[in-house]
Amino acid sequence: MLEAAGVGAVEERVYRFLVGVREADAAGIAAQLGFDVARVHWLLASLHDKGLVGRVAEPPDGGPERYVPMAPDAALRPLLLRGHEALESARRGVEQLAEEYRAGGRRHDAGQLVEVITGASVIRQRLRQMAYGAGEMRWLCKARPVALAAAENDEEWELLARGVRYKTIYERELLEGPGMVDNVARSIRAGEQARAVGTLPVRLVIADRSMAICPLVYESGEGVDPVTGARAGAADRVGEPTAAVVHSSSLLDALIALFESQWAAATPLHVTDSGELADVDGDGPRPAVHLADDERYLLSLIVAGVADKAIASQLWVSQRTVQRRIQTLMQRAGALTRTQLVWQAAQRGWLA
């Protein structure tokens, strides 16, 4: 039981005996356990060196030296810590040797530089493995109608909390997908560095400077982009989900350079005091996303001074629904009154 802490089975037996009797001399231990007295002396010396037994200061009547057990948690914790450090050092050594082995194989076999994997579950599992072993993740997220569900994005927030750095570039169309504003805003608040561009040339995920995954083919029908989690468009839906895993090479260096060039050209995103996702450019903050057409129409009616009942009639909804939608817009704008909502909408370009 205690061998992992460096305590042998026989030593453990002697220690457990002392725990039961609380105090004994070598001859008494030997008689009870059926050991040779000389062997018991050696075992007690070993246990004493490990901090598991102590000697009674002054044996009564000048009798033989007696021993008492020490608290196991205080004695064994340093031993377990040293064992853990040794195992961790061995693990790092194995990982280094494994990487040297793979690197040597890639130098002699160019086919190992690019690995093709197939299937959404396989690709996502590989992405998780990359993320949990990386210090920095870089993402190019192209737009498709449905974004990665927030419930499936806990992994990034967990890794951000652990100190993994995330740099992500989003296509603007992707930011307009359902739930993406809140999703990206939460990631930024958690520490993600995010930027936005009009279009991206490719979907891409890079882990440190050691590996990248680039989807090649998306599943037919209602396909899902295995990197961003977004639903694939008709032009992309040509087969089983397939991706290229690119290892350390000139090709990986080129993909990293591609990311950095896109990063330099993209506009930084941040979260405003009111919780809005906004761009930061030379003219200051401006909205990162725009209102839906029905929201814009509702705002235009409010600006025109149309009463709620008339708005409800025009939109074919109840007056309560109109009031709820107006409250939602006010919350997004950080407005307390309709007058403030109109002013904020003008400032944010929602009516442009």
Side-chain angles (χ1 to χ4, degrees):
M1 178 179 175
L2 301 181
E3 290 182 356
V7 180
V10 180
E11 288 177 310
E12 181 179 349
R13 188 177 174 190
V14 171
Y15 176 72
R16 285 181 176 277
F17 174 78
L18 277 175
V19 168
V21 299
R22 305 306 294 177
E23 183 179 327
D25 58 26
I29 296 172
Q32 290 294 323
L33 299 182
F35 292 159
D36 181 83
V37 175
R39 186 184 184 190
V40 171
H41 276 295
W42 182 89
L43 292 169
L44 288 170
S46 178
L47 289 169
H48 182 271
D49 291 341
K50 294 171 181 175
L52 284 169
V53 302
R55 297 184 177 93
V56 176
E58 295 181 2
D61 303 325
E65 197 167 38
R66 300 180 68 80
Y67 296 85
V68 294
M70 307 302 291
D73 52 349
L76 294 178
R77 189 175 291 115
L79 296 175
L80 289 171
L81 181 60
R82 285 196 295 270
H84 175 75
E85 291 172 347
L87 287 173
E88 182 63 19
S89 177
R91 184 190 65 79
R92 290 194 298 267
V94 169
E95 287 184 351
Q96 181 178 354
L97 283 173
E99 180 55 34
E100 291 176 3
Y101 174 83
R102 289 191 292 268
R106 290 194 289 269
R107 284 193 295 269
H108 291 87
D109 183 2
Q112 295 187 34
L113 295 175
V114 178
E115 175 188 356
V116 176
I117 56 177
T118 302
S121 61
V122 175
I123 295 170
R124 290 181 180 179
Q125 180 62 28
R126 194 61 170 269
L127 286 169
R128 292 189 186 97
Q129 292 173 353
M130 284 175 55
Y132 279 104
E136 181 180 63
M137 295 292 291
R138 287 175 272 195
W139 289 69
L140 295 183
C141 296
K142 284 181 66 65
R144 284 296 179 261
V146 180
L148 182 67
E152 299 176 4
N153 200 31
D154 293 339
E155 177 180 300
E156 176 182 343
W157 298 319
E158 175 191 344
L159 292 171
L160 282 168
R162 292 185 183 183
V164 177
R165 298 179 301 279
Y166 271 76
K167 296 174 68 175
T168 307
I169 306 176
Y170 299 94
E171 278 190 346
R172 293 197 181 278
E173 184 183 347
L174 178 61
L175 293 177
E176 296 178 356
M180 273 305 296
V181 170
D182 292 339
N183 197 37
V184 174
R186 178 181 174 185
S187 295
I188 292 173
R189 285 192 291 266
E192 177 184 283
Q193 299 178 58
R195 297 192 175 190
V197 295
T199 59
L200 287 169
V202 68
R203 296 170 182 78
L204 181 67
V205 182
I206 303 171
D208 297 326
R209 303 186 68 88
S210 60
M211 186 183 300
I213 291 184
C214 182
L216 301 175
V217 179
Y218 310 120
E219 62 188 10
S220 59
E222 294 296 321
V224 175
D225 177 345
V227 169
T228 67
R231 203 169 300 279
D236 293 324
R237 300 197 292 262
V238 295
E240 184 73 11
T242 303
V245 181
V246 182
H247 298 277
S248 297
S249 61
S250 296
L251 176 57
L252 178 60
D253 293 340
L255 293 175
I256 293 173
L258 170 64
F259 178 91
E260 294 302 330
S261 66
Q262 293 292 320
W263 182 261
T267 305
L269 297 174
H270 81 135
V271 180
T272 66
D273 293 339
S274 62
E276 287 276 318
L277 185 65
D279 292 351
V280 180
D281 57 17
D283 299 324
R286 61 185 177 85
V289 296
H290 301 285
L291 297 182
D293 290 342
D294 59 340
E295 292 175 317
R296 193 185 306 277
Y297 181 53
L298 172 59
L299 261 180
S300 69
L301 294 175
I302 296 172
V303 172
V306 180
D308 289 358
K309 185 176 181 180
I311 293 175
S313 178
Q314 291 198 40
L315 297 181
W316 293 90
V317 296
S318 68
Q319 188 171 339
R320 180 174 296 180
T321 298
V322 169
Q323 293 169 347
R324 177 171 50 80
R325 290 181 180 178
I326 292 174
Q327 284 295 323
T328 299
L329 287 173
M330 290 172 61
Q331 290 173 4
R332 289 180 62 183
L336 299 177
T337 65
R338 295 196 183 196
T339 301
Q340 291 179 0
L341 171 61
V342 172
W343 187 86
Q344 287 285 353
Q347 289 294 108
R348 296 163 187 263
W350 285 358
L351 294 173

